[in-house]
Amino acid sequence: MSDEARAPEQPGPSDFRDPITTRELKRAAVWLGLAAGIVLAWYLIQTLLLIAGGLVIASMLDGGARLLGRVLPIRRGWRLAIVCLAVTAFLLWTFYFAGASIGAQFGTLRIVVTEQFNRIVDWVQAMGLMPRDSANAIGEQVMGSLGRLTSALGTAIGAVSSMAMILVIGVFVAIEPRLYERGFAWMLPMERRQEFYETSAKLGYTMRRLMAGRLLGMAVEGVGTWLLLLVGGVPMAALLGILTGLLAFLPNIGAIVSGLLLVLVGFSAGVETGLWAIAVYFVVQTVDGYLIVPTVAKRSVDLAPALVLSAQLLLGSLCGILGLALADPLVAMIKVLLEQRSDAKAEEAAASAVTHRITG
């Protein structure tokens, strides 16, 4: 080997001490991790929605326990147990005492809606507004979807396991929410934990108010529709009231579906009954839309109807009925997260400006 001085060695592409190589590897790792996260979220989207549904149930139970604490000054665990027992008793009453008569009406509802839809199709064809082939294809699709909907609502076999899992997650989180909050914060850097706690508190406040308003709207629409339809002599008033109350959990889309059912069933008993059903629909929706929804929006988060509808269409097409039901809470949570992040950046900018003026 020659004794002459060698040229200084330069790090090669496989040497991690090279700052260029390290930077590029970090960038590649970030992009690969992002791609892997998107793929994983796609395959686990149903599971993630179950967890999100559990958090929504937890917020409802926690809100009930907090509300009960205003009139019953006992330990939180006892208040939560009372809320859970009250919900269980209501569900048992609904299924055991009202389930038999209401379940028998689902078949009648499908027959009535089918007949009314066929009458509408015949009238449209007689007016020459739609070719017969197109009308038949639309009819098959609509009635097939309606059949699946009434079947799912009547038996609910396919949703039992998912609902049970959501309820279990919701109850466990509601029992000790601070435990899960601290566990998640433990995975964050120390300097980010205070911001996380503030964001978590804001999310909990928003979800409690949003769900309280949603339950109030469901009760008002369901009971109001049932009583007003009963006064007007509309057939299957109890069933239509329950469906209207349940569909009220789905803003925009639920109101459209319940309105169509009311009109079709109402006109099956006569023109006057149909007009009464239309009036009932507008009265109930006006009370909910102009009294309950604005009051809740002022105390929680105001969501644009077009934004909620778009999220419902997107999540409904991707995840089915579960995505459709959770679209509104998910949009509310995302909005709160973005607002909190924006406020944090504004505070940092203001603090930086004050520091610059002091030091300058």
Side-chain angles (χ1 to χ4, degrees):
M1 183 177 295
S2 175
D3 294 335
E4 296 179 358
R6 297 180 181 178
E9 293 288 341
Q10 298 293 331
S14 61
D15 195 332
F16 292 107
R17 291 177 297 178
D18 183 8
I20 298 178
T21 303
T22 304
R23 184 175 65 251
E24 295 301 324
L25 284 175
K26 288 182 179 179
R27 289 181 178 178
V30 169
W31 285 108
L32 288 175
L34 180 60
I38 293 175
V39 173
L40 187 63
W42 174 260
Y43 281 104
L44 298 178
I45 189 168
Q46 291 292 339
T47 304
L48 295 175
L49 284 178
L50 290 179
I51 297 174
L55 295 178
V56 171
I57 296 296
S59 67
M60 296 168 66
L61 296 176
D62 183 58
R66 289 170 180 262
L67 185 62
L68 188 61
R70 297 182 178 180
V71 295
L72 194 60
I74 59 177
R75 295 181 59 182
R76 183 181 181 280
W78 290 108
R79 288 185 273 117
L80 183 61
I82 293 174
V83 172
C84 292
L85 289 176
V87 173
T88 303
F90 173 77
L91 293 177
L92 289 177
W93 177 85
T94 302
F95 282 109
Y96 285 99
F97 291 93
S101 59
I102 291 176
Q105 294 181 2
F106 273 100
T108 306
L109 176 64
R110 182 181 179 184
I111 294 174
V112 170
V113 174
T114 303
E115 292 177 352
Q116 293 298 100
F117 182 80
N118 289 333
R119 290 180 182 178
I120 294 175
V121 170
D122 293 338
W123 178 79
V124 172
Q125 290 177 350
M127 297 294 293
L129 301 176
M130 182 185 298
R132 182 171 297 275
D133 294 338
S134 300
N136 292 335
I138 295 175
E140 292 177 358
Q141 293 177 1
V142 172
M143 298 317 302
S145 301
L146 181 63
R148 291 191 294 270
L149 175 62
T150 54
S151 176
L153 291 174
T155 60
I157 295 177
V160 169
S161 59
S162 298
M163 182 58 65
M165 186 61 65
I166 289 175
L167 291 176
V168 169
I169 295 174
V171 170
F172 276 118
V173 174
I175 290 174
E176 192 61 42
R178 301 299 181 189
L179 175 65
Y180 301 95
E181 186 181 40
R182 289 195 301 268
F184 193 87
W186 176 79
M187 297 184 293
L188 300 175
M190 291 291 293
E191 63 272 10
R192 308 297 298 181
R193 293 185 184 180
Q194 183 59 35
E195 180 183 351
F196 167 75
Y197 287 130
E198 294 175 358
T199 303
S200 177
K202 180 64 176 178
L203 281 173
Y205 175 85
T206 300
M207 292 306 299
R208 288 193 300 270
R209 296 304 188 274
L210 184 65
M211 291 300 103
R214 189 60 45 79
L215 291 176
L216 179 61
M218 292 171 64
V220 170
E221 291 194 29
V223 175
T225 300
W226 169 49
L227 294 177
L228 291 176
L229 291 180
L230 193 63
V231 171
V234 179
M236 296 174 285
L239 175 60
L240 292 174
I242 290 177
L243 290 178
T244 301
L246 293 176
L247 290 171
F249 191 81
L250 309 175
N252 305 319
I253 294 179
I256 296 174
V257 175
S258 63
L260 289 176
L261 292 176
L262 289 178
V263 171
L264 292 176
V265 175
F267 277 100
S268 68
V271 177
E272 294 183 358
T273 308
L275 295 176
W276 178 263
I278 294 175
V280 169
Y281 172 76
F282 280 107
V283 169
V284 171
Q285 294 300 322
T286 300
V287 172
D288 183 55
Y290 288 94
L291 180 62
I292 298 176
V293 173
T295 303
V296 174
K298 291 178 181 179
R299 299 180 62 88
S300 56
V301 57
D302 194 7
L303 299 176
L307 178 61
V308 175
L309 181 59
S310 300
Q312 287 176 334
L313 295 176
L314 179 61
L315 291 177
S317 61
L318 291 177
C319 310
I321 187 65
L322 187 58
L324 187 64
L326 295 177
D328 190 24
L330 290 176
V331 171
M333 286 190 286
I334 293 173
K335 184 176 181 181
V336 171
L337 290 173
L338 294 177
E339 288 178 347
Q340 288 293 108
R341 187 60 179 169
S342 177
D343 293 342
K345 288 185 176 180
E347 291 178 0
E348 291 178 0
S352 177
V354 171
T355 305
H356 179 71
R357 285 197 300 268
I358 295 174
T359 57

XYZ file of all heavy atoms in Angstrom, residues 271-354:
610
model
N -107.579 11.837 0.558
C -106.929 13.105 0.254
C -106.828 13.985 1.495
O -105.778 14.596 1.765
C -107.697 13.846 -0.860
C -107.064 15.211 -1.133
C -107.722 13.021 -2.139
N -107.894 14.059 2.284
C -107.860 14.893 3.487
C -106.817 14.397 4.486
O -106.090 15.192 5.097
C -109.244 14.908 4.135
C -110.310 15.601 3.297
C -111.644 15.654 4.008
O -111.736 15.112 5.137
O -112.589 16.242 3.444
N -106.731 13.083 4.627
C -105.734 12.518 5.545
C -104.329 12.792 5.035
O -103.407 13.072 5.825
C -105.950 11.004 5.699
O -107.312 10.753 6.039
C -105.044 10.428 6.777
N -104.143 12.707 3.709
C -102.835 13.005 3.139
C -102.433 14.449 3.362
O -101.272 14.735 3.701
N -103.376 15.374 3.179
C -103.080 16.782 3.430
C -102.777 17.023 4.908
O -101.910 17.840 5.244
C -104.265 17.649 2.984
C -104.560 17.649 1.474
C -105.805 18.469 1.176
C -103.369 18.180 0.690
N -103.480 16.314 5.787
C -103.180 16.433 7.221
C -101.772 15.923 7.521
O -101.049 16.525 8.326
C -104.218 15.656 8.023
C -103.966 15.679 9.503
C -103.325 14.723 10.242
C -104.321 16.715 10.409
N -103.260 15.078 11.566
C -103.876 16.310 11.698
C -104.986 17.934 10.286
C -104.066 17.086 12.833
C -105.178 18.704 11.416
C -104.723 18.287 12.683
N -101.368 14.831 6.882
C -100.017 14.297 7.086
C -98.963 15.300 6.624
O -97.926 15.468 7.276
C -99.861 12.968 6.351
N -99.227 15.973 5.496
C -98.288 16.996 5.018
C -98.184 18.137 6.019
O -97.089 18.633 6.332
C -98.726 17.511 3.634
C -98.621 16.394 2.585
C -97.875 18.705 3.212
C -99.137 16.788 1.219
N -99.342 18.562 6.553
C -99.333 19.643 7.542
C -98.584 19.232 8.801
O -97.817 20.024 9.372
C -100.775 20.035 7.877
N -98.778 17.996 9.234
C -98.061 17.498 10.413
C -96.560 17.519 10.185
O -95.778 17.941 11.057
C -98.537 16.073 10.758
C -97.626 15.429 11.804
C -99.973 16.103 11.261
N -96.163 17.090 9.010
C -94.727 17.066 8.697
C -94.129 18.467 8.767
O -93.069 18.666 9.387
C -94.517 16.473 7.307
C -93.096 16.586 6.810
C -92.098 15.744 7.287
C -92.759 17.544 5.852
C -90.802 15.849 6.828
C -91.455 17.659 5.394
C -90.486 16.807 5.880
O -89.197 16.925 5.435
N -94.792 19.438 8.176
C -94.251 20.799 8.163
C -94.264 21.420 9.560
O -93.330 22.150 9.929
C -95.025 21.679 7.182
C -94.605 21.491 5.758
C -95.416 20.814 4.862
C -93.387 21.977 5.300
C -95.029 20.634 3.549
C -92.992 21.807 3.988
C -93.812 21.118 3.109
N -95.281 21.140 10.345
C -95.330 21.687 11.704
C -94.191 21.132 12.547
O -93.465 21.877 13.232
C -96.690 21.384 12.357
C -96.662 21.695 13.852
C -97.791 22.192 11.685
N -94.005 19.811 12.500
C -92.966 19.173 13.313
C -91.581 19.623 12.873
O -90.720 19.948 13.704
C -93.102 17.646 13.234
C -91.902 16.958 13.889
C -94.390 17.187 13.900
N -91.340 19.664 11.567
C -90.030 20.076 11.075
C -89.759 21.552 11.349
O -88.598 21.941 11.578
C -89.919 19.792 9.567
C -89.930 18.325 9.209
C -88.789 17.566 9.847
O -87.677 18.063 9.964
N -89.065 16.344 10.265
N -90.794 22.373 11.342
C -90.611 23.794 11.649
C -90.211 23.988 13.111
O -89.298 24.764 13.423
C -91.898 24.581 11.351
O -92.220 24.445 9.961
C -91.714 26.050 11.674
N -90.894 23.281 14.003
C -90.546 23.382 15.418
C -89.118 22.917 15.653
O -88.341 23.559 16.379
C -91.538 22.562 16.262
C -91.072 22.492 17.715
C -92.931 23.171 16.185
N -88.742 21.806 15.031
C -87.393 21.279 15.234
C -86.344 22.172 14.569
O -85.285 22.425 15.142
C -87.306 19.855 14.660
C -85.947 19.226 14.912
O -85.519 19.170 16.078
O -85.305 18.801 13.936
N -86.638 22.633 13.350
C -85.641 23.391 12.603
C -85.453 24.821 13.058
O -84.344 25.363 12.957
N -86.528 25.435 13.575
C -86.439 26.850 13.938
C -86.411 27.094 15.438
O -86.228 28.232 15.867
C -87.619 27.622 13.336
C -87.509 27.782 11.846
C -88.126 26.874 10.985
C -86.778 28.825 11.287
C -88.015 26.999 9.623
C -86.682 28.969 9.913
C -87.292 28.051 9.084
O -87.174 28.172 7.721
N -86.580 26.049 16.243
C -86.560 26.230 17.684
C -85.457 25.404 18.338
O -84.600 25.932 19.048
C -87.922 25.862 18.290
C -88.043 26.015 19.811
C -87.834 27.470 20.205
C -89.409 25.513 20.278
N -85.464 24.106 18.086
C -84.520 23.213 18.766
C -83.127 23.314 18.179
O -82.139 23.516 18.891
C -85.034 21.763 18.710
C -86.375 21.665 19.436
C -84.019 20.810 19.327
C -87.003 20.302 19.366
N -83.023 23.172 16.839
C -81.701 23.162 16.198
C -80.932 24.462 16.429
O -79.753 24.429 16.800
C -81.845 22.854 14.698
C -80.505 23.019 13.987
C -82.372 21.437 14.498
N -81.533 25.659 16.231
C -80.759 26.887 16.497
C -80.321 27.021 17.952
O -79.212 27.494 18.233
C -81.744 28.005 16.106
C -82.692 27.373 15.164
C -82.853 25.971 15.661
N -81.177 26.594 18.899
C -80.806 26.674 20.308
C -79.613 25.780 20.616
O -78.674 26.179 21.312
C -81.995 26.275 21.187
O -83.110 27.127 20.880
C -81.643 26.414 22.651
N -79.629 24.573 20.077
C -78.525 23.647 20.296
C -77.259 24.149 19.613
O -76.151 24.044 20.148
C -78.903 22.238 19.797
C -77.705 21.303 19.882
C -80.068 21.698 20.596
N -77.402 24.698 18.404
C -76.228 25.168 17.663
C -75.523 26.297 18.403
O -74.294 26.385 18.399
C -76.648 25.635 16.267
N -76.292 27.166 19.068
C -75.665 28.253 19.810
C -74.848 27.743 20.992
O -73.861 28.359 21.379
C -76.743 29.230 20.301
C -77.417 30.022 19.182
C -78.500 30.932 19.747
C -79.189 31.711 18.633
N -80.270 32.581 19.165
N -75.255 26.606 21.569
C -74.585 26.087 22.757
C -73.547 25.022 22.443
O -72.849 24.569 23.340
C -75.616 25.517 23.729
C -76.613 26.555 24.222
C -77.598 25.928 25.189
N -76.909 25.423 26.375
C -76.657 26.127 27.457
N -77.029 27.410 27.507
N -76.035 25.599 28.492
N -73.466 24.579 21.193
C -72.486 23.544 20.859
C -71.648 23.995 19.670
O -70.669 24.713 19.826
C -73.194 22.208 20.576
O -74.154 22.355 19.543
N -72.010 23.580 18.478
C -71.276 23.955 17.280
C -72.263 24.095 16.134
O -73.145 23.255 15.959
C -70.191 22.905 16.943
C -70.782 21.525 16.766
C -69.390 23.320 15.720
N -72.139 25.163 15.394
C -73.053 25.432 14.291
C -72.482 24.812 13.022
O -71.418 25.211 12.546
C -73.236 26.943 14.127
C -74.420 27.273 13.230
O -75.148 26.332 12.857
O -74.618 28.449 12.900
N -73.192 23.838 12.466
C -72.732 23.120 11.285
C -73.555 23.540 10.075
O -74.785 23.636 10.149
C -72.860 21.604 11.488
C -72.050 21.010 12.655
C -72.349 19.524 12.788
C -70.571 21.238 12.450
N -72.885 23.779 8.971
C -73.573 24.131 7.738
C -74.348 22.923 7.221
O -73.798 21.817 7.150
C -72.566 24.603 6.690
N -75.626 23.075 6.862
C -76.413 21.924 6.393
C -75.798 21.235 5.174
O -75.826 20.005 5.077
C -77.770 22.553 6.060
C -77.837 23.787 6.895
C -76.428 24.290 6.976
N -75.250 22.020 4.233
C -74.649 21.408 3.047
C -73.431 20.565 3.413
O -73.187 19.495 2.823
C -74.251 22.490 2.043
N -72.659 21.027 4.407
C -71.499 20.264 4.846
C -71.919 18.942 5.474
O -71.337 17.886 5.196
C -70.694 21.094 5.848
C -69.449 20.430 6.458
C -68.446 20.090 5.376
C -68.823 21.334 7.508
N -72.944 18.987 6.330
C -73.427 17.763 6.973
C -73.999 16.799 5.930
O -73.746 15.590 5.978
C -74.487 18.109 8.028
C -75.086 16.839 8.623
C -73.874 18.961 9.123
N -74.763 17.318 4.980
C -75.346 16.470 3.946
C -74.261 15.819 3.095
O -74.355 14.628 2.756
C -76.303 17.290 3.078
C -77.019 16.537 1.950
C -77.841 15.397 2.519
C -77.901 17.486 1.151
N -73.243 16.574 2.740
C -72.138 16.008 1.952
C -71.428 14.905 2.732
O -71.093 13.849 2.159
C -71.150 17.112 1.579
O -71.778 18.127 0.816
N -71.188 15.139 4.010
C -70.545 14.108 4.831
C -71.424 12.875 4.948
O -70.933 11.736 4.935
C -70.231 14.672 6.213
N -72.725 13.059 5.051
C -73.626 11.912 5.122
C -73.595 11.102 3.839
O -73.563 9.858 3.876
C -75.045 12.399 5.400
C -75.258 12.894 6.819
C -76.651 13.443 7.013
O -77.302 13.899 6.068
N -77.136 13.413 8.244
N -73.619 11.776 2.700
C -73.572 11.055 1.431
C -72.257 10.304 1.273
O -72.234 9.150 0.811
C -73.759 12.041 0.271
C -75.125 12.739 0.194
C -75.138 13.763 -0.929
C -76.236 11.709 -0.018
N -71.150 10.939 1.663
C -69.844 10.311 1.512
C -69.695 9.112 2.450
O -69.361 7.997 2.015
C -68.749 11.341 1.797
C -67.302 10.838 1.707
C -67.002 10.328 0.309
C -66.327 11.938 2.088
N -69.944 9.322 3.745
C -69.784 8.232 4.699
C -70.860 7.170 4.531
O -70.619 5.988 4.800
C -69.813 8.774 6.128
C -68.609 9.628 6.533
C -68.778 10.169 7.949
C -67.329 8.815 6.451
N -72.042 7.577 4.096
C -73.086 6.590 3.855
C -72.744 5.659 2.708
O -72.995 4.449 2.770
N -72.163 6.197 1.639
C -71.762 5.356 0.510
C -70.560 4.486 0.847
O -70.426 3.372 0.337
C -71.439 6.231 -0.699
O -70.364 7.119 -0.412
N -69.679 4.965 1.729
C -68.479 4.199 2.087
C -68.739 3.180 3.190
O -68.212 2.063 3.141
C -67.363 5.151 2.532
C -66.734 6.037 1.466
C -65.714 6.971 2.098
C -66.073 5.197 0.381
N -69.551 3.559 4.177
C -69.668 2.735 5.390
C -71.087 2.303 5.705
O -71.311 1.702 6.766
C -69.105 3.509 6.582
S -67.478 4.218 6.303
N -72.063 2.645 4.879
C -73.416 2.189 5.126
C -74.128 3.024 6.174
O -73.826 4.202 6.392
N -75.082 2.377 6.857
C -75.945 3.088 7.799
C -75.158 3.631 8.983
O -75.488 4.684 9.532
C -77.072 2.144 8.282
C -78.085 2.898 9.132
C -76.482 0.967 9.051
C -78.850 3.954 8.392
N -74.085 2.938 9.386
C -73.290 3.411 10.516
C -72.582 4.722 10.180
O -72.546 5.652 10.987
C -72.278 2.349 10.931
C -71.475 2.619 12.204
C -72.410 2.803 13.386
C -70.493 1.490 12.476
N -72.000 4.800 8.985
C -71.368 6.046 8.568
C -72.369 7.171 8.417
O -72.074 8.330 8.744
N -73.566 6.834 7.942
C -74.613 7.844 7.794
C -75.031 8.396 9.155
O -75.230 9.602 9.318
C -75.820 7.224 7.089
C -76.961 8.164 6.692
C -76.494 9.172 5.657
C -78.138 7.357 6.152
N -75.133 7.532 10.155
C -75.572 7.970 11.478
C -74.509 8.793 12.199
O -74.837 9.697 12.976
C -75.948 6.757 12.324
N -73.235 8.495 11.936
C -72.149 9.165 12.662
C -71.544 10.333 11.894
O -70.580 10.933 12.374
C -71.043 8.159 12.993
C -71.427 7.035 13.951
C -70.263 6.075 14.137
C -71.881 7.582 15.288
N -72.081 10.658 10.732
C -71.509 11.738 9.927
C -71.573 13.074 10.663
O -70.589 13.820 10.708
C -72.238 11.830 8.588
N -72.704 13.373 11.263
C -72.870 14.655 11.958
C -71.931 14.788 13.153
O -71.226 15.808 13.278
C -74.336 14.802 12.386
C -74.644 16.203 12.888
O -73.923 17.129 12.500
O -75.599 16.367 13.660
N -71.850 13.807 14.068
C -70.878 13.939 15.171
C -69.437 14.013 14.704
O -68.636 14.764 15.281
C -71.128 12.670 16.006
C -72.509 12.258 15.680
C -72.714 12.636 14.252
N -69.083 13.270 13.661
C -67.708 13.302 13.170
C -67.362 14.671 12.595
O -66.268 15.199 12.821
C -67.496 12.216 12.113
C -67.491 10.774 12.620
C -67.362 9.797 11.459
C -66.352 10.557 13.612
N -68.279 15.263 11.857
C -68.043 16.600 11.312
C -67.891 17.612 12.441
O -67.029 18.505 12.395
C -69.190 17.003 10.363
C -69.077 18.471 9.968
C -69.161 16.144 9.107
N -68.713 17.474 13.480
C -68.610 18.386 14.627
C -67.258 18.251 15.319
O -66.628 19.255 15.680
C -69.742 18.108 15.611
N -66.775 17.020 15.497
C -65.486 16.808 16.144
C -64.344 17.377 15.302
O -63.416 18.001 15.827
C -65.273 15.324 16.421
C -66.103 14.793 17.573
S -65.649 13.118 18.087
C -66.343 12.163 16.744
N -64.403 17.161 13.994
C -63.356 17.690 13.114
C -63.339 19.213 13.153
O -62.275 19.843 13.193
C -63.561 17.176 11.677
C -63.323 15.667 11.619
C -62.619 17.887 10.704
C -63.651 15.050 10.288
N -64.521 19.824 13.179
C -64.584 21.281 13.230
C -63.994 21.810 14.529
O -63.260 22.814 14.534
C -66.033 21.746 13.082
C -66.162 23.261 13.028
C -67.589 23.695 12.788
C -67.677 25.215 12.720
N -69.065 25.681 12.518
N -64.293 21.150 15.644
C -63.733 21.583 16.928
C -62.218 21.450 16.928
O -61.496 22.338 17.407
C -64.350 20.764 18.074
C -63.623 21.028 19.383
C -65.821 21.108 18.230
N -61.700 20.354 16.386
C -60.254 20.157 16.316
C -59.584 21.249 15.489
O -58.541 21.792 15.878
C -59.940 18.785 15.730
C -60.274 17.579 16.617
C -60.064 16.288 15.830
C -59.422 17.577 17.868
N -60.174 21.577 14.351
C -59.598 22.621 13.497
C -59.664 23.986 14.178
O -58.719 24.778 14.089
C -60.326 22.652 12.153
C -60.162 21.414 11.261
C -60.998 21.542 10.002
C -58.690 21.195 10.899
N -60.768 24.269 14.853
C -60.890 25.552 15.542
C -59.887 25.663 16.686
O -59.281 26.718 16.890
C -62.316 25.716 16.064
C -63.350 25.967 14.975
C -64.743 26.068 15.541
O -64.929 25.699 16.728
O -65.660 26.493 14.811
N -59.710 24.571 17.443
C -58.748 24.596 18.538
C -57.332 24.780 18.019
O -56.527 25.509 18.602
C -58.836 23.302 19.344
C -60.097 23.187 20.195
C -60.123 24.218 21.313
O -60.900 25.164 21.258
N -59.283 24.039 22.306
N -57.007 24.113 16.913
C -55.676 24.255 16.329
C -55.451 25.673 15.830
O -54.368 26.255 16.008
C -55.515 23.256 15.180
C -54.109 23.194 14.600
C -53.116 22.787 15.655
N -51.771 22.710 15.099
C -50.681 22.578 15.826
N -50.777 22.506 17.155
N -49.497 22.508 15.271
N -56.482 26.253 15.213
C -56.361 27.622 14.720
C -56.191 28.606 15.874
O -55.368 29.534 15.808
C -57.593 27.987 13.894
O -57.553 29.320 13.468
N -56.941 28.406 16.969
C -56.811 29.284 18.129
C -55.429 29.165 18.760
O -54.845 30.158 19.207
C -57.887 28.943 19.159
C -59.279 29.261 18.664
O -59.397 30.047 17.703
O -60.258 28.706 19.219
N -54.896 27.928 18.813
C -53.561 27.730 19.388
C -52.496 28.451 18.566
O -51.588 29.085 19.112
C -53.252 26.237 19.476
N -52.607 28.364 17.241
C -51.645 29.063 16.391
C -51.759 30.576 16.546
O -50.755 31.294 16.553
C -51.859 28.658 14.930
C -51.415 27.235 14.612
C -51.548 26.957 13.127
C -51.021 25.560 12.787
N -51.150 25.266 11.332
N -52.987 31.074 16.680
C -53.177 32.514 16.864
C -52.570 32.977 18.189
O -51.944 34.045 18.257
C -54.669 32.852 16.815
N -52.736 32.180 19.240
C -52.143 32.546 20.530
C -50.619 32.522 20.460
O -49.950 33.399 21.025
C -52.643 31.575 21.602
C -54.120 31.736 21.930
C -54.581 30.723 22.956
O -53.722 29.914 23.385
O -55.764 30.737 23.316
N -50.048 31.526 19.775
C -48.595 31.469 19.632
C -48.075 32.666 18.850
O -47.040 33.254 19.195
C -48.201 30.168 18.939
C -48.433 28.917 19.776
C -48.074 27.660 19.020
O -47.645 27.772 17.852
O -48.221 26.553 19.589
N -48.793 33.047 17.798
C -48.370 34.199 17.010
C -48.446 35.488 17.829
O -47.557 36.343 17.757
C -49.226 34.319 15.746
N -49.511 35.628 18.633
C -49.644 36.825 19.462
C -48.547 36.879 20.527
O -47.951 37.941 20.767
C -51.022 36.846 20.121
N -48.250 35.733 21.150
C -47.186 35.703 22.151
C -45.833 36.003 21.534
O -45.005 36.715 22.113
C -47.169 34.329 22.833
N -45.588 35.483 20.326
C -44.341 35.749 19.634
C -44.187 37.217 19.289
O -43.104 37.804 19.415
C -44.232 34.893 18.373
O -43.065 35.183 17.663
N -45.314 37.846 18.881
C -45.272 39.281 18.550
C -44.982 40.135 19.779
O -44.203 41.083 19.734
C -46.589 39.701 17.916
N -45.591 39.761 20.922
C -45.327 40.509 22.153
C -43.887 40.354 22.587
O -43.211 41.330 22.980
C -46.278 40.025 23.264
C -45.899 40.625 24.609
C -47.723 40.361 22.925
